[in-house]
Structures are given as structure tokens and as C-alpha cells.
Amino acid sequence: MAAEGSGGSTGAGVGRRLPPHSPSGLVLQTVEMHTGGEPLRIIPRLEAAEEAAAVGGLSLLALRREVAATQDHVRRALMHEPRGHGGMYGAVVVRGAAAAAGAHLAALFLHGAGYSAMCGHAVMALGRFALDYGLVAAPSCPETAVHLRCPCGPITAFVPWDGHRSGNPVRFHSVPAFAVTTDLAINVPGYGKVVVDIGYGGTFYAFLSAEQLGLDVCSSKIRDLVNAASAVTEAVRKQFKLHHPESEDLAFLYGTILTDGKDAFSEEPTTNICVFADEQVDRSPTGSGVTARIALQYHKGLIQLNQTRTFRSSTTGSLFTGKAVKATKLGDYNTVVVEVSGEAFYTGTTTFTVEEEDPLKYGFFFK
């Protein structure tokens, strides 16, 4: 969302609404949230994205490619330092034509290395945002269904509403999720042979216990977990070809989730850590990861429909719940719709500006 000008200023900047910035430069307003500790920087409006969708009649996956090609400086400016950080995550809200087919809004998901197809923690936060910022015309008490279009497909969030503001917990129903393969042997340089499962929950993940890599998901150093998970991701990408029955744009391995190995149904939480994109660490239990992990557990017969499991983030201790609520079919895959629930909170609003002469105006990134 672009702001206009810098406002009138008198004296030593008295009355100035914005700091000095280039008239032709970016002015970006954001709403800041987190879900289970994982940040979400919401861009309520990006005119260039909506214009591209309206003029070109683009699908959301095509719009994602267009934004990556022509507006990537926005992502870099907001995700990277000095405005962002190595763990920053964002979402561009797209209204109008791109949010057609009965959706209240569409969303493009941003991270330090690029763009995702699905993000569960973002969906929960965006559900609250949609109600509090008027994207749903007539919210209903005690809960309102918010329909979102994501690059992976349509998602519905269910958000508590008391007549004045949204609340928690927020839950969502996923796109059809499925097990791609189980007990796949992969040779990981530096770690040897491991056995992984691959599941889809709006994006693809590899899953294995941290123990296979000589680590403990609860007590090992984060850097050691990140190095190991990243090595697994790289090895799986080289040794196994993914396919999505609807679009090859979705056929990429987003990351690896290391678990405590407790896949059998239990009332006790199971702990995991998700390392995605370019060694980025999810602070939450990972909504799309929970979706894929539930799909794998259902496929293996470890859980039944409507059995709720609790998932804990090894980084923050935050909790999501997940359950398979409906058996479906997608192409040749037996799939399930998964319900994931968590808590999303507002942390503030921000206006970011750019000075054209700043050599780091679009940010910088290092590990």
C-alpha cells in the first residue's frame, strides 16, 4: 500500500509525517503479525500486482511469476535487512480480479529467498486481518469463514468474531494433502543413508527423525539442525523427482522437517523443526508442514479421521493442532483435507520508505 508524499514540514521537521525519501521511491505500509512466533509482514495492497492480475487475467501462480519478475525489489526491501531479517516472512494481499471465484482475498507468500505456494501460519494471521480490516463485508458471530486463494489453491479459515474484533484460535481447512512416498532411502553427504517420507500440504516437505542424523530435535543446537535439514533437502532434490497432479509450478521441495519420531497417535505433543527455502527456520510448528505430516500419518494408518494431534515448535515451544477431516482424491493420489489450528497476534503497523541514493535500499541478505 503506497502512501502519498512526506506531508508538510515546518521548522526542524515539525509536522512531518514521513522521513525524507525519494518522491519516486517506495513507500510501503504494512501490518505486522505473528503466529506461534513466526512473523508475518502483511502488505495490504500492492497496486502493481493487482494491475497485472486485472490486465493479464493471470492465475495466482502466473501472478506469482509476474511479481517475482517485476516487483521482486519489494520482497527484498521488506524481507531482507535492514528492514527485515533472516527469519522474516511476508504476504501480499491481492484483491479484485485475482481474488475472484468467491474468495475474500488472494495472497502471495514471500520469504528471504523467494515465494512460496502455501503458508499455514500466514493463512491464520490473514484470517484475522481479513475481518479486522474489512475484507469480509458482514462477519458473523461467533465464527466467520474467510475464503482465501493461495497459489496452491483455495483455503478456508475459520476465525472467531465477537462483533467488534477477531480472536483466537484460528483454524483452516487445507487443500487436498497427500503422501508422496514413504521410507525413501536417500544418501546425504556427510550424514550417510537416511530414510525419509515426503508429503504435500500445499507445498512439499521431506520428513525424518532428527535421530537419524545423530541429533535431538529438542536439545541440539539450531545451527546443527539447520545444517542437517538443509543437507537432506539438497540430497532429496537431487535424488527424487517430484510431481504435482495439477501444476508443475507446485512440484518443488520447499524444505525438510526434522521430528522427534513420534508419529504414532498420542495425546502428547510431537515436536518438529522446519527448515525451508534457503536455510530459513520456521518459529512456529509450520501450518503446511502439519498438514503434510497429518497426511502422512493418515496414509500410514497411524491416525484416523478427526483424531487431533498437537505439534510443538522446537524453537519457540508454540503449539498447533491438526486433524484429517475428510478423505478425498486428487489425480492418482488418495488425499485428505486437514484442519490446522493455532493462534495469531498483531504486533504493530509500519510505514517503510526508500531513499533512492541508498546503495542498500532494497536490502541485503547473508547467512
Side-chain angles (χ1 to χ4, degrees), residues 1-3 27-33 40-50 74 78 90-96 99 104-108 110 126 129-130 132-135 346 348-352:
M1 180 181 291
V27 178
L28 294 165
Q29 296 173 348
T30 66
V31 175
E32 308 290 314
M33 300 186 72
L40 186 69
R41 176 161 288 165
I42 299 172
I43 307 167
R45 193 155 212 165
L46 187 62
E47 286 86 349
E50 293 183 3
V74 175
L78 293 181
V92 175
V93 174
V94 186
R95 317 181 202 200
H104 295 108
L105 70 154
L108 299 176
L110 323 175
L126 287 168
F129 171 85
D132 295 321
Y133 282 77
L135 275 66
Y346 293 98
T349 59
T350 307
T351 300
F352 292 102

Side-chain angles (χ1 to χ4, degrees), residues 45-322:
R45 193 155 212 165
L46 187 62
E47 286 86 349
E50 293 183 3
E51 289 170 4
V55 173
L58 302 178
S59 70
L60 207 53
L61 281 170
L63 182 61
R64 185 181 67 161
R65 290 194 298 271
E66 176 69 16
V67 168
T70 64
Q71 302 297 315
D72 196 54
H73 58 287
V74 175
R75 179 191 64 83
R76 289 183 281 117
L78 293 181
M79 298 298 103
H80 293 177
E81 295 186 55
R83 300 173 187 85
H85 55 78
M88 182 54 72
Y89 204 97
V92 175
V93 174
V94 186
R95 317 181 202 200
H104 295 108
L105 70 154
L108 299 176
F109 302 121
L110 323 175
H111 52 75
Y115 303 80
S116 175
M118 171 57 186
C119 179
H121 94 272
V123 164
M124 288 184 266
L126 287 168
R128 290 198 65 191
F129 171 85
L131 297 191
D132 295 321
Y133 282 77
L135 275 66
V136 178
S140 56
C141 298
E143 185 179 73
T144 297
V146 179
H147 302 290
L148 303 92
R149 283 187 62 220
C150 302
C152 65
I155 303 286
T156 300
F158 301 91
V159 187
W161 178 253
D162 67 4
H164 303 283
R165 58 171 291 206
S166 67
N168 282 301
V170 178
R171 57 193 177 95
F172 71 83
H173 285 180
S174 72
V175 294
F178 54 88
V180 177
T181 187
T182 58
D183 300 325
L184 175 69
I186 294 290
N187 184 43
V188 183
Y191 297 90
K193 182 179 288 187
V194 300
V195 176
V196 305
D197 297 335
I198 300 177
Y200 177 80
T203 190
F204 291 94
Y205 295 99
F207 293 84
L208 72 161
S209 68
E211 184 180 17
Q212 290 194 62
L213 301 160
L215 299 169
D216 186 301
V217 74
C218 297
S219 62
S220 293
K221 293 180 179 179
I222 295 294
R223 174 40 59 188
D224 293 338
L225 293 168
V226 169
N227 287 344
S230 299
V232 171
T233 298
E234 185 65 22
V236 172
R237 285 173 176 165
K238 290 180 178 178
Q239 297 171 45
F240 185 81
K241 182 173 176 57
L242 288 169
H243 166 72
H244 190 277
E246 291 186 333
S247 174
E248 289 307 303
D249 275 352
L250 298 172
F252 63 93
L253 188 70
Y254 191 35
T256 291
I257 296 180
L258 304 180
T259 78
D260 58 8
K262 298 177 181 178
D263 287 330
F265 178 75
S266 170
E267 300 288 347
E268 295 298 314
T270 175
T271 301
N272 57 231
I273 182 172
C274 174
V275 181
F276 65 96
D278 190 3
E279 299 189 355
Q280 196 160 328
V281 178
D282 196 333
R283 276 71 169 159
S284 80
T286 309
S288 56
V290 166
T291 302
R293 197 171 170 201
I294 286 284
L296 283 162
Q297 291 173 1
Y298 182 81
H299 172 79
K300 292 180 174 183
L302 299 174
I303 59 169
Q304 305 301 314
L305 288 179
N306 294 309
Q307 281 190 313
T308 299
R309 292 217 64 187
T310 301
F311 298 81
R312 177 191 288 121
S313 164
S314 75
T315 57
T316 63
S318 60
L319 302 174
F320 288 172
T321 62

